[in-house]
Amino acid sequence: MQDVAAKALALRELLALLQMSPHLSESQLSASNEIARLIIVAEAVADEGVRFFSWRRFADWWFGGRVEEAWMNLHQAELLLTGAAIEGRVFQTMMENALSHALRLAADDPLRQRLETDGHDLLTRRIGSTTTASSLPATSPQVAMQAVLQKSFQQSDAYQRSVRAFRNRLVITIMVTLVVAVSLVVIQWRLPTAQIIPLHKGSSDLSRWAVMLLIIVFGSLGALITTIPSMAAIPRVSGPYNFPLQQSFVKVFVGSLSALVGVVVIGNSGLASGFASLQPLLGVAIVFGAGQQAVTQFLDKRAGEIIASAP
């Protein structure tokens, strides 16, 4: 919520400059009151105290309720402030802001082209000058600026929703992988005669379910070794939904499951009588845990596509 607070403060400062103008019209005064209300609502939503371990907290994290509501109010306040900016420093700041948002649009977007064509000229002619009917272009600059901002906000909101959906899918993948791994351990524990993990008799004093836990741990270790380089290459995701942490957890948990599968396959096919000792079994677990990269590369590709599409 720090980004929300910073944006609210910036808008509040511009609003104060607007309200200091001696030539405020009735429409500008009405807009300034609505802008102030929207900023207050956004700050109240962002600062609302919610218990850390509560359903409301989880719902906000999963569905993006509070943060998206706060940004919706700030976006609306920014649009109104852009429409109310007629001259002076406020107009300059809002025009520069609109031009920066225009860079997020496609190069051939007509809204971007129109604003870039007229924007710099408008800044030169209108900063510190009194607006006259003859100085206005056929289309009001405020309308063009608002159109660019609106489209940029729509792209940004769509991007954040896709990031949140991807992060949530990663969390679901983690939970499913964890449930499968724990279920295998429980099955081996409750059915000790079922030889899921092939071992020579007397090769280990540990029970088979304890050996499975060791396989999971060493498989996670192998997965961690291959996760560090790939995760280090992923840039930080801008916005409230930063999914690389969940992505790394997926790799580790998938590595633990792939280690179990690998030990079962190798132990039952390549070595007819099972592993002679615990050491080679754990070595195979590390190798197959590291092999998670072959499975999760599709997640890495999708993560790269999402980051590349950032506005």
Side-chain angles (χ1 to χ4, degrees), residues 228-241:
I228 293 174
S230 62
M231 296 308 298
I234 297 179
R236 184 183 181 277
V237 179
S238 59
Y241 310 117

Side-chain angles (χ1 to χ4, degrees), residues 19 61 93 125 239 272 303:
Q19 292 173 332
W61 181 83
T93 302
R125 289 193 291 131

Side-chain angles (χ1 to χ4, degrees), residues 12-187:
R12 195 180 292 278
E13 291 175 351
L14 289 171
L15 177 61
L17 287 176
L18 177 66
Q19 292 173 332
M20 290 171 59
S21 174
H23 308 295
L24 277 184
S25 65
E26 289 294 330
S27 61
Q28 286 177 308
L29 183 60
S30 175
S32 65
N33 292 334
E34 179 63 13
I35 292 167
R37 186 191 70 82
L38 290 170
I39 294 175
I40 291 173
V41 171
E43 291 176 329
V45 170
D47 295 337
E48 182 182 359
V50 178
R51 288 189 297 116
F52 189 81
F53 295 104
S54 65
W55 166 251
R56 173 72 185 282
R57 185 85 175 196
F58 173 77
D60 287 338
W61 181 83
W62 187 264
F63 299 107
R66 285 194 304 146
V67 66
E68 293 183 8
E69 181 183 352
W71 278 110
M72 180 184 68
N73 284 281
L74 291 179
H75 287 166
Q76 186 62 30
E78 190 169 351
L79 288 170
L80 288 175
L81 186 57
T82 301
I86 302 297
E87 59 188 11
R89 182 180 169 187
V90 179
F91 175 81
Q92 176 188 10
T93 302
M94 299 315 296
M95 176 60 79
E96 291 173 348
N97 177 57
L99 287 170
S100 67
H101 277 273
L103 296 176
R104 302 178 182 181
L105 307 183
D108 58 349
D109 190 290
L111 293 176
R112 172 178 175 175
Q113 291 177 345
R114 183 174 64 184
L115 189 65
E116 288 181 337
T117 300
D118 300 334
H120 297 289
D121 181 59
L122 284 168
L123 283 175
T124 302
R125 289 193 291 131
R126 299 189 50 194
I127 295 172
S129 65
T130 302
T131 303
T132 63
S134 60
S135 67
L136 287 173
T139 302
S140 170
Q142 283 74 24
V143 173
M145 292 155 62
Q146 286 176 322
V148 167
L149 289 176
Q150 188 69 48
K151 190 166 186 178
S152 175
F153 292 156
Q154 289 174 354
Q155 289 184 353
S156 177
D157 292 343
Y159 168 74
Q160 295 299 341
R161 285 193 296 269
S162 68
V163 171
R164 175 166 54 81
F166 182 68
R167 183 208 61 186
N168 291 351
R169 287 196 294 270
L170 291 177
V171 174
I172 292 174
T173 303
I174 292 172
M175 299 305 297
V176 170
T177 305
L178 181 62
V179 167
V180 171
V182 171
S183 298
L184 289 174
V185 174
V186 171
I187 290 172

Side-chain angles (χ1 to χ4, degrees), residues 230 247 251 254 291-304:
S230 62
Q247 188 178 354
K251 289 175 173 290
V254 169
Q292 57 79 26
Q293 191 65 29
V295 179
T296 59
Q297 61 178 327
F298 302 104
L299 289 176
D300 295 339
K301 181 180 178 180
R302 176 57 183 158

